């Protein structure tokens, strides 16, 4: 790039970044993801590093945020609120550390790490221990006075504890919204949108993420609205102090602030080496999902706070701190079209076809839209620019449209009138707000059912997945689940895909037959679940199996009899009765039994095998149940309870005040989970842990 090109490109980037700064900081209505913003900022920084003469004082690299709106009183920040430089790799981090070490002239470098909370920066002023002012960062020099709103946030103390308090000081921190609170709030907005649509009113835009929701909540004109929002705060820095002395190191300052009653993050750690700090950074990469607030990286700070002023800043970034950013979990992209999937019960679910985008560590071109209702609630249209999210191991999803980028060409989605798989006219079920294909011989439904039947927790037939289901269906070998048990070496040999040279049966075919044979001994609950009856999940299947004890009894039970089973309600009972009354289903059941799939359930079943294979240790006290209850639940769900931490402990469940076990777990690299994750684990099983893999 020559100087001329650099000038043009940097002007373009500056103007774009200033535009997005205003949307993000002032209007709380960003049009691009943080990651796209960071990309532009990094490009501008690289150009300015090569051509320093192009740096202008108003470059976004030289200032923070954007000038505040006039709705609130503007207040000055006597000491500007800075931002943080970013690192995206170990190499970036080492470079930052080397530059720091050079300036520290051989002094010991002790680091402190903290989660980088994805909220909004706030400066609180306390006078004689009383909270007198709270302001947003604004452009770093001037912020908005939002004191009345901050007073409604429960964790922000109105008065401080202790006797030896400074006359006046300013403390900085991040206001955020909890993730659980955010989900609830967005769900409520979505529900209200359906009503608004019915009334012919325009839908209210959803918040893209907890950060935007927090920003919108703090900047409400009416504090009672803020009060109803699930906001919280952690403080992370002492801004300035008058009439008092602060401790010399950052970790002591934090301790001191905590002693006064200010909310200090318990996840703060001290590290003697960069290596150790890096260990914590990678650990956070795997743990972030367990927190009930969003973090977008880890902040490292020099613990020696006395050296901070001397070290100073480059532009708006202090030399004594940096942020190691996680790969982005949200990006914006175009929604090209919406297609429809047919599930095993015939329900049609829309999914998004996207312009491919790299997010959450993978290139995403398809994303779930959950269901028709969700599409309506979020007001997603074909052609929209949308926010796509991929967090942990979770399936990518379309979070919300960027309404401000619409040009009028976007189109609302209509469910097809006929099934995309079999062409039979679809049926709408107003009670469930679902559209489904009523054709029980619909190829898509059959293939999905074959897959479900052979899946985990069902008949668990190894080798029978999506591809095999397609092959069995296409070749005509399986058109219902009972056909699976009619497969023989001879019949498979008739299909080229199942043979090798010389017409012999392939290994794949042999394994399939062995898997099918093995599946005949699955317990009754698995069989009932495998049949794929609408509304019969594994738990319902377990209840049915205990009471009815065999398949013949299930087929004979009418809705009234089924409702006698504890835990089975009228809708489920009706669904099962309708299923068993169909002649084709009776034929399937009879053929399964004739093939040897005819288990008898004797006595109670362990509630489930949700936690099978896991050994958990519980420490500290939990809010939702006693430790004994927690341990009983683990056993009921098929898990083991350990008394001490060993290498084979799957996870340590840490309640309030857990002691030495925490340290032991950290030492042995055993994952620690909090109560919220534990409750998810009880509800969802191992998947709750996979969503947040441990890196240690
Ligand atoms: S320290 C000059 N610590 O990240 C250093 N910032 O991208 C001041 N943030 O403006 C920031 N968690 O709003 C610090 N533990 C933490 C943080 C944190 C979140 C925010 C803060 C800052 C932004 C920089």
């Amino acid at each position: 790039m020559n100087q001329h090109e650099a000038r043009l490109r940097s002007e373009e980037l500056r103007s774009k970044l200033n535009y997005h700064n205003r949307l993000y900081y002032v209007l709380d209505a960003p049009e691009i993801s943080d990651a796209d913003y960071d990309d532009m900022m990094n490009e501008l920084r690289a150009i300015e590093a090569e051509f320093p003469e192009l740096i202008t004082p108003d470059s976004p690299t030289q200032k923070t945020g954007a000038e505040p709106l006039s709705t609130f009183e503007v207040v000055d920040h006597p000491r500007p609120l800075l931002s943080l430089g970013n690192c995206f790799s170990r190499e970036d981090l080492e470079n930052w550390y080397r530059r720091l070490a050079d300036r520290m002239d051989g002094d010991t470098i002790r680091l402190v790490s903290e989660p980088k909370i994805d909220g909004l920066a706030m400066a609180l002023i306390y006078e004689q221990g009383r909270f007198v002012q709270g302001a947003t960062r604004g452009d770093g020099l001037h912020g908005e006075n939002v004191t009345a709103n901050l007073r409604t946030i429960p964790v922000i103390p109105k008065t401080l504890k202790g006797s030896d308090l400074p006359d006046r000081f300013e403390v900085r921190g991040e206001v955020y919204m909890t993730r659980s609170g955010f989900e609830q709030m967005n769900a409520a907005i979505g529900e209200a949108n359906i009503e608004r649509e019915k009334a012919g009113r325009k839908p209210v835009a959803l918040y893209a993420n907890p950060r935007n929701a927090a920003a919108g909540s703090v900047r409400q004109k009416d504090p009672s609205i803020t009060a109803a929002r699930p906001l919280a705060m952690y403080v992370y820095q002492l801004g300035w102090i008058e009439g008092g002395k602060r401790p010399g190191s950052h970790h002591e300052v934090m301790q001191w602030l905590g002693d006064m009653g200010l909310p200090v993050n318990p996840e703060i750690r001290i590290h003697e080496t960069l290596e150790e700090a890096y260990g914590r950074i990678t650990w956070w990469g795997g743990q972030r999902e367990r927190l009930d607030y969003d973090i977008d990286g880890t902040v490292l700070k020099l613990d020696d706070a006395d050296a901070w002023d001397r070290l100073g800043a480059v532009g708006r970034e202090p030399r004594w701190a940096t942020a190691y950013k996680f790969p982005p979990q949200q990006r914006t992209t175009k929604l090209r079209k919406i297609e429809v999937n047919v599930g095993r019960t015939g329900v049609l679910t829309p999914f998004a076809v996207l312009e491919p985008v790299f997010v959450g560590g993978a290139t995403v071109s398809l994303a779930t839209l959950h269901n028709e209702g969700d599409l309506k609630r979020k007001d997603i249209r074909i052609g929209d620019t949308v926010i796509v999210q991929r967090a942990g191991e979770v399936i990518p999803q379309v979070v919300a449209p960027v309404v401000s980028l619409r040009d009028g060409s976007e189109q609302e989605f209509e469910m097809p009138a006929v099934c995309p798989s079999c062409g039979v006219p679809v049926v709408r079920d107003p009670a469930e707000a679902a559209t489904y294909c009523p054709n029980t011989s619909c190829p898509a439904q059959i293939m999905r059912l074959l897959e479900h039947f052979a899946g985990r927790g069902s008949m668990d037939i190894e080798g029978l997945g999506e591809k095999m289901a397609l092959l069995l269906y296409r070749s005509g070998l399986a058109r219902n689940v009972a056909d699976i048990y009619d497969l023989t070496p001879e019949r498979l040999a008739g299909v080229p895909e199942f043979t090798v040279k010389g017409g012999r049966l392939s290994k794949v075919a042999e394994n399939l037959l062995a898997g099918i044979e093995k599946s005949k001994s699955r317990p009754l609950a698995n069989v009932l679940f495998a049949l794929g009856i609408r509304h019969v999940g594994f738990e319902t299947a377990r209840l049915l199996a205990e009471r009815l004890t065999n398949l013949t009894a299930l087929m004979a039970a009418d809705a009234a009899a089924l409702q006698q089973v504890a835990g089975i309600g009228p809708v489920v009972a009706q669904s099962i009765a309708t299923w068993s009354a169909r002649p084709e289903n009776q034929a399937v059941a009879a053929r399964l039994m004739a093939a040897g799939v005819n288990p008898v359930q004797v006595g109670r079943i362990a509630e489930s095998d949700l936690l099978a294979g896991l050994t958990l240790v519980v420490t500290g006290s939990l809010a939702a149940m006693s430790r004994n209850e927690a341990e009983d639940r683990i056993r009921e769900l098929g898990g083991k309870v350990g008394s001490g931490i060993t290498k084979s402990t799957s996870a340590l469940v840490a309640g309030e005040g857990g002691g030495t076990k925490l340290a032991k777990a950290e030492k042995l690299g055993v994952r620690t989970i909090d109560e919220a994750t534990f409750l998810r684990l009880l509800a969802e099983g191992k998947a709750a842990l996979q969503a947040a893999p441990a890196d240690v």
Side-chain angles (χ1 to χ4, degrees):
M1 189 183 278
N2 61 34
Q3 215 233 11
H4 178 65
E5 286 162 349
R7 178 181 303 279
L8 291 181
R9 181 67 184 148
S10 67
E11 274 167 12
E12 185 187 348
L13 286 168
R14 242 171 248 144
S15 113
K16 279 189 177 164
L17 284 162
N18 281 331
Y19 169 77
H20 290 296
N21 270 343
R22 192 172 148 72
L23 289 174
Y24 182 89
Y25 289 108
V26 183
L27 302 173
D28 300 330
E31 289 177 351
I32 56 172
S33 66
D34 290 1
D36 294 328
Y37 176 90
D38 282 348
D39 286 351
M40 271 197 265
M41 185 66 105
N42 286 338
E43 187 185 345
L44 179 59
R45 251 195 225 117
I47 297 176
E48 289 181 346
E50 201 179 333
F51 303 96
E53 65 282 9
L54 295 180
I55 301 178
T56 59
D58 74 331
S59 171
T61 58
Q62 305 300 307
K63 56 175 197 165
T64 29
E67 278 181 36
L69 265 187
S70 54
T71 329
F72 294 92
E73 180 207 359
V74 174
V75 293
D76 292 341
H77 295 305
R79 282 190 71 136
L81 273 76
L82 298 179
S83 181
L84 286 169
N86 289 331
C87 296
F88 295 96
S89 64
R90 189 173 174 138
E91 192 189 342
D92 291 351
L93 189 66
E94 280 168 1
N95 288 336
W96 167 76
Y97 187 83
R98 203 169 307 119
R99 289 194 300 269
L100 177 66
D102 282 350
R103 289 182 181 258
M104 287 295 283
D105 259 355
D107 287 355
T108 339
I109 299 182
R110 184 191 250 182
L111 298 171
V112 172
S113 72
E114 303 167 9
K116 184 173 185 311
I117 301 168
D118 203 5
L120 57 154
M122 213 54 76
L124 315 178
I125 299 178
Y126 282 86
E127 258 175 33
Q128 315 298 345
R130 290 197 5 261
F131 175 48
V132 294
Q133 182 184 294
T136 64
R137 170 164 67 184
D139 63 2
L141 293 168
H142 320 279
E144 290 160 311
N145 187 337
V146 289
T147 315
N149 290 342
L150 296 186
R151 282 189 190 283
T152 70
I153 300 180
V155 298
I156 299 182
K158 315 280 183 300
T159 49
L160 298 177
K161 291 191 291 197
S163 46
D164 194 18
L165 297 170
D167 292 345
R168 289 182 87 224
F169 69 97
E170 183 217 61
V171 63
R172 296 166 180 181
E174 200 84 350
V175 166
Y176 64 90
M177 184 176 283
T178 59
R179 288 210 289 194
S180 47
F182 164 75
E183 298 292 344
Q184 276 169 19
M185 189 174 123
N186 246 2
I189 297 177
E191 289 306 325
N193 274 346
I194 303 251
E195 296 308 313
R196 293 174 81 93
E197 197 200 353
K198 281 187 198 148
R201 293 165 65 203
K202 274 174 76 176
V204 172
L206 296 177
Y207 287 111
N209 50 48
R211 200 214 86 90
N212 292 342
S217 304
V218 164
R219 302 174 74 263
Q220 291 288 330
K221 280 211 186 117
D222 176 359
S224 69
I225 298 181
T226 312
R229 303 278 170 91
L231 296 172
M233 180 177 189
Y234 278 126
V235 298
Y236 54 61
Q237 190 191 356
L238 182 71
W240 46 259
I241 178 167
E242 291 169 9
K245 193 167 156 29
R246 63 159 178 80
S249 70
H250 177 58
H251 82 270
E252 285 166 329
V253 169
M254 297 318 283
Q255 175 97 49
W256 186 57
L257 295 173
D259 291 344
M260 291 184 211
L262 286 158
V264 172
N265 197 325
E267 304 289 356
I268 297 178
R269 294 287 183 280
I270 301 174
H271 308 285
E272 301 298 338
T273 62
L274 182 67
E275 190 58 34
E276 212 181 285
Y278 188 73
R280 183 75 176 170
I281 287 171
T282 46
W283 181 81
W284 272 121
Q287 291 282 309
R288 61 193 291 200
E289 297 299 323
R290 80 176 169 89
L291 297 173
D292 194 25
Y293 52 88
D294 272 354
I295 64 175
D296 58 347
T298 311
V299 182
L300 290 189
K301 295 174 185 170
L302 176 70
D303 192 34
D304 180 0
D306 283 339
W308 289 3
D309 279 350
R310 175 160 51 83
L311 288 163
V314 194
R316 56 181 200 157
E317 297 163 5
R319 291 195 176 87
W320 45 266
T322 192
Y324 193 101
K325 296 283 276 280
F326 294 138
Q329 294 189 323
Q330 283 195 341
R331 286 270 184 181
T332 40
T333 188
K334 273 260 188 241
L335 173 61
R336 281 186 184 155
K337 51 185 177 175
I338 294 177
E339 291 188 350
V340 169
N341 231 328
V342 187
R344 70 182 149 84
T345 55
V347 176
L348 269 55
T349 44
F351 64 93
V353 181
L354 306 164
E355 224 137 84
V357 60
F358 193 75
V359 56
T363 299
V364 167
S365 53
L366 301 176
T368 173
L369 292 163
H370 299 294
N371 53 49
E372 240 180 301
D374 206 47
L375 240 170
K376 285 253 176 326
R377 278 190 287 273
K378 293 178 175 169
D379 184 31
I380 294 167
R381 304 182 191 172
I382 301 159
D384 263 336
T385 298
V386 291
I387 297 155
V388 178
Q389 175 165 304
R390 183 174 179 276
E393 303 293 302
V394 184
I395 306 164
Q397 49 178 317
V398 176
V399 177
V402 184
V403 178
S404 58
L405 289 181
R406 283 189 181 151
D407 63 8
S409 68
E410 300 75 18
Q411 285 178 342
E412 283 187 39
F413 170 75
E414 295 279 348
M415 269 292 185
V418 298
C419 170
S421 174
C422 66
V424 166
V426 298
V427 177
R428 269 198 70 79
D429 180 345
E432 288 182 48
T435 302
Y436 64 95
C437 163
N439 173 16
T440 45
S441 339
C442 167
Q445 285 187 54
I446 294 173
M447 281 185 276
R448 293 288 115 70
L449 182 59
L450 290 173
E451 240 180 283
H452 166 80
F453 183 83
R456 282 265 170 87
S458 296
M459 303 304 279
D460 207 353
I461 303 176
E462 221 167 290
L464 211 173
E466 189 180 345
K467 273 195 197 136
M468 183 62 81
L470 181 72
L471 178 58
L472 291 176
Y473 181 87
R474 288 244 171 100
S475 59
L477 286 175
R479 291 288 158 100
N480 66 47
V481 299
D483 290 346
I484 293 175
Y485 293 94
D486 283 349
L487 294 177
T488 56
E490 295 71 36
R491 299 195 64 203
L492 290 185
V495 177
E497 282 89 343
F498 286 119
T499 56
V500 286
K501 260 186 271 153
R504 270 191 311 112
L505 217 51
S506 69
K507 197 86 199 131
V508 170
E510 282 172 8
N511 289 344
L512 176 66
L513 290 169
I516 292 170
E517 194 52 39
K518 239 169 100 183
S519 76
K520 290 181 182 169
S521 57
R522 301 280 177 251
L524 183 61
N526 291 50
V527 179
L528 299 186
F529 174 58
L531 292 172
I533 305 169
R534 216 171 186 182
H535 302 306
V536 180
F538 189 83
E539 274 311 293
T540 304
R542 183 181 67 81
L543 296 171
L544 290 169
E546 276 180 357
R547 272 298 283 270
L548 299 168
T549 71
N550 63 53
L551 202 50
T552 316
L554 178 95
M555 297 308 290
D558 61 11
L562 288 161
Q563 263 200 76
Q564 296 302 309
V565 178
I568 308 285
V571 175
V572 181
Q574 191 52 58
S575 165
I576 301 169
T578 309
W579 189 90
S580 6
R582 285 218 170 101
E584 67 267 27
N585 292 334
Q586 285 168 2
V588 163
R591 285 177 60 206
L592 286 176
M593 288 190 272
V597 182
N598 196 8
V600 175
Q601 178 57 42
V602 188
R604 286 205 60 192
I605 314 172
E607 240 181 69
S608 76
D609 60 355
L610 269 186
L611 302 185
L614 291 186
T615 305
L616 301 173
V617 175
V618 187
T619 187
S621 57
L622 303 171
M625 61 187 93
S626 72
R627 202 141 88 201
N628 278 342
E629 282 169 331
E631 295 181 348
D632 284 348
R633 287 295 292 152
I634 296 170
R635 289 191 198 98
E636 275 165 14
L637 297 177
K640 281 198 195 132
V641 177
S643 52
I645 309 275
T646 68
K647 272 236 167 275
S648 52
T649 307
S650 320
L652 171 66
V653 181
E656 278 296 310
T660 51
K661 291 209 172 86
L662 288 167
K664 182 90 189 273
E666 195 159 359
K667 193 159 152 233
L668 290 183
V670 167
R671 171 92 178 271
T672 299
I673 60 173
D674 63 1
E675 179 163 356
T677 310
F678 176 58
L679 296 178
R680 277 222 314 275
L681 190 65
L682 296 182
E684 300 162 16
K686 284 169 248 176
L689 284 184
Q690 278 150 15
D695 271 347
V696 185

